[in-house]
Every structure is written in structure tokens, then in C-alpha cells.
Amino acid sequence: MRNVVLRVWVVCWLILVWILLWGTFSAANVLSGLLVALVITLLLPLPAVPVEGRVHLLSLLRLIVSVGYDLVLSSVQVAWLAVKPGPPPLSAVLRAHLAVKSDLVLALAVSIFNLVPGSIVLEIDQSRRMLYMHVIDVGNERSLARFYRQVSKVERLLVAAFERETDWRPAPSKEST
């Protein structure tokens, strides 16, 4: 039942995206959107993503608020770096290790870091859970410490929201199914 509801949701979402891309709500756009959505979902299915933990709503809310705050703060900091007089800030590629278990949560972490102005993930070492990130303004120890604190905070919030040890159940491996 869950799979059927999920498939219907995906088809409806794709129809909505199709209508928004065309910019006009019409019967032709709805029908052509349905056709495109069915082709995508039936002929080009995505692999199943294993979900191994539970979502904790209060922790998820903390994560959303914290990321929102970081987005605003980083935007102001990057804007200041752009307009302040003097030489451009020193940037570097830094390595950050994340102790997350799920590939889905790792992908979410990468998305969060890419959204925050002033940093972008350049490479992901999936097996070692290592991210290589380009970071702006790393000219002093305080800036470096701030970056690593931010990574640690996001990691902690992601684990609290999605990967608590008490709720963790590894997905069954493909060999056993």
C-alpha cells in the first residue's frame, strides 16, 4: 500500500512540475504531464533508497531552524566579504569527516553544506564518509574553528533527527533478499 501511495505521489508531483514548466494550467498540460510522469516512473525507475532509521520531528525542527539561521548568517558574512575593502579573503579546500551511517543522510548533509554560502562540497569519499569542501575566509584559526564547529553541529543535528542509535536498523543487504 505504501508503494502505491508513493508512486501516486511521485506522478502527481511530476504532473505539477510539468504544469509549472509550461506556465499554464490546461487539460492538455495535465494530460501531457501525466504521460511524461508515467514514462518517467515506468521506464526510468529510480532504485529504492533504504531508510534505516526513524525521523524525530522535534530534532528535525531543530535542524531546520539551525540551517535557516546558518543560511542567513553566512549570507551576511559572504556579503560583507564581497564589499569590505582590502584583499580578497583566503580560501582553501578542507576535509571534514562525518560520522553518519546512511547514504541518504550523507546526501542530505552535502545538500545542506552546498546551500550555505561560503562553502561547497567538491568531493565525497562515500566509504570513509569524508567530504572535501572549498571554504571562503579561512585566513585565521578562528575561521577554521568556526567551519569545523558548523560541520560538527550539522552532523549532530542530522544524527539526532534521523540516525539515533536506539532506532537504527541497517537495511537488509541485497545478497540476503
Side-chain angles (χ1 to χ4, degrees):
M1 181 63 180
R2 183 175 184 266
N3 281 342
V4 172
V5 171
L6 185 59
R7 284 184 185 264
V8 169
W9 165 251
V10 168
V11 168
C12 291
W13 180 253
L14 288 172
I15 292 170
L16 176 66
V17 169
W18 184 260
I19 292 168
L20 292 173
L21 285 172
W22 282 101
T24 307
F25 184 81
S26 67
N29 279 344
V30 172
L31 290 176
S32 60
L34 175 62
L35 181 66
V36 169
L38 290 175
V39 166
I40 289 172
T41 56
L42 296 176
L43 298 180
L44 306 168
L46 292 172
V49 176
V51 178
E52 295 133 335
R54 281 185 39 210
V55 176
H56 295 270
L57 293 179
L58 187 58
S59 296
L60 180 60
L61 182 63
R62 277 192 214 114
L63 174 67
I64 291 168
V65 169
S66 176
V67 169
Y69 175 77
D70 287 345
L71 286 171
V72 171
L73 181 63
S74 294
S75 296
V76 170
Q77 290 170 339
V78 169
W80 172 245
L81 289 173
V83 297
K84 82 174 188 174
L90 182 65
S91 62
V93 175
L94 302 176
R95 181 177 60 194
H97 179 265
L98 295 180
V100 296
K101 300 170 187 164
S102 165
D103 287 342
L104 188 61
V105 175
L106 180 64
L108 182 58
V110 168
S111 297
I112 289 170
F113 292 130
N114 282 338
L115 279 175
V116 174
S119 68
I120 188 163
V121 177
L122 300 173
E123 185 176 340
I124 305 165
D125 183 344
Q126 184 180 3
S127 61
R128 294 187 307 164
R129 298 295 196 237
M130 200 74 67
L131 302 179
Y132 296 88
M133 301 168 61
H134 181 268
V135 183
I136 296 175
D137 192 23
V138 292
N140 57 44
E141 291 295 322
R142 199 171 112 231
S143 298
L144 283 171
R146 182 175 56 232
F147 166 75
Y148 285 113
R149 270 195 318 273
Q150 182 181 19
V151 169
S152 177
K153 179 179 74 168
V154 169
E155 174 189 31
R156 220 176 31 256
L157 291 169
L158 285 168
V159 168
F162 303 109
E163 293 187 340
R164 291 187 185 176
E165 200 60 45
T166 55
D167 300 327
W168 185 255
R169 291 179 314 277
S173 64
K174 292 185 190 265
E175 293 84 33
S176 65
T177 58

